[in-house]
């Protein structure tokens, strides 16, 4: 039993390109009010289950103000065709920080409350290898454009000599 515990503890360590992801599952009512959160919700967003209830927190409260319209359009379009949606978007945490999350959502009928509910599963993708690779790729593109621009305007196109601006 101890070896299993040691093995599971060591497997949660992030090394190289293998990442352990923390995820949270929460439930929304038909008005997008958060009605139930798990224990990891506070780790990802900073909001405890008590704060969610006291603040009457809605899904849109987690989305940065600049992203709300795009988020609503994206999810509405996805859910119009099927009852599940996958997307990556930003979440505004309680402390004001913004994280990127991979999100899976599905709509279901809750037979106990006799109402539609949405189950949302999010995982923080801010520190994943995929996002780091994307950031590096964008930096390389930017560096290449800058290098091309510098080379284009530092040299005369006819003589290939350094221009006045280069000095």
């Amino acid at each position: 039993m101890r070896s299993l515990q040691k093995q599971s503890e060591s497997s949660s360590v992030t090394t190289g390109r293998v990442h352990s992801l923390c995820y949270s599952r929460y439930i929304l009512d038909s008005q997008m009010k958060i009605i139930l959160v798990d224990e990891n919700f506070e780790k990802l967003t900073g909001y405890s289950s008590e704060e969610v209830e006291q603040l009457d927190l809605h899904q849109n409260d987690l989305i940065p103000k600049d992203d709300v319209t795009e988020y609503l359009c994206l999810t509405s379009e996805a859910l119009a065709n099927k009852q599940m949606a996958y997307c990556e978007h930003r979440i505004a945490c309680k402390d004001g920080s913004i994280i990127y999350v991979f999100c899976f959502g599905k709509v279901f009928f809750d037979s106990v409350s006799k109402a539609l509910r949405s189950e949302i599963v999010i995982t923080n993708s801010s520190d994943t290898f995929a996002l780091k690779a994307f950031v590096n790729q964008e930096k390389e593109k930017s560096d290449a454009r800058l290098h091309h621009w510098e080379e284009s305007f530092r040299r005369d196109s006819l003589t290939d000599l350094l221009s006045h601006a280069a000095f």
Side-chain angles (χ1 to χ4, degrees):
M1 188 68 157
R2 286 185 184 204
S3 64
L4 287 176
Q5 186 177 11
K6 272 188 168 180
Q7 185 178 11
S8 67
E9 286 174 5
S10 65
S11 67
S12 67
V13 175
T14 302
T15 57
R17 296 184 178 157
V18 178
H19 297 275
S20 171
L21 296 175
C22 175
Y23 68 91
S24 175
R25 177 182 168 270
Y26 59 99
I27 306 293
L28 306 174
D29 67 10
S30 58
Q31 282 77 40
M32 295 182 68
K33 178 184 175 196
I34 301 172
I35 56 174
L36 181 65
V37 299
D38 67 3
E39 64 278 353
N40 287 332
F41 189 78
E42 185 172 4
K43 290 178 189 173
L44 289 174
T45 66
Y47 292 102
S48 68
S49 57
E50 294 81 23
E51 290 172 318
V52 168
E53 190 175 322
Q54 290 170 354
L55 297 172
D56 196 31
L57 208 61
H58 285 70
Q59 176 69 9
N60 291 348
D61 297 330
L62 296 176
I63 308 299
K65 300 297 180 214
D66 297 340
D67 299 353
V68 171
T69 303
E70 182 181 0
Y71 172 80
L72 290 174
C73 290
L74 178 73
T75 55
S76 295
E77 181 183 344
L79 293 173
N81 299 326
K82 52 189 171 224
Q83 292 183 331
M84 293 183 270
Y86 298 92
C87 64
E88 182 179 19
H89 61 86
R90 300 182 323 155
I91 283 188
C93 298
K94 179 183 173 184
D95 64 3
S97 64
I98 293 181
I99 61 172
Y100 284 86
V101 295
F102 287 120
C103 178
F104 165 75
K106 71 176 183 176
V107 177
F108 67 96
F109 182 77
D110 183 9
S111 59
V112 175
S113 65
K114 305 229 184 302
L116 285 177
R117 300 282 189 241
S118 297
E119 176 184 25
I120 310 292
V121 178
I122 57 172
T123 184
N124 185 348
S125 63
S126 298
D127 293 328
T128 62
F129 179 73
L131 191 63
K132 288 178 182 177
F134 175 73
V135 168
N136 287 340
Q137 181 183 13
E138 290 301 311
K139 185 180 180 322
E140 287 172 7
K141 283 181 188 177
S142 176
D143 290 347
R145 281 192 301 264
L146 180 62
H147 180 71
H148 174 72
W149 181 83
E150 285 178 342
E151 287 302 311
S152 297
F153 293 103
R154 289 178 53 129
R155 296 200 175 268
D156 181 89
S157 60
L158 184 59
T159 63
D160 201 35
L161 296 173
L162 290 175
S163 68
H164 179 68
F167 295 104

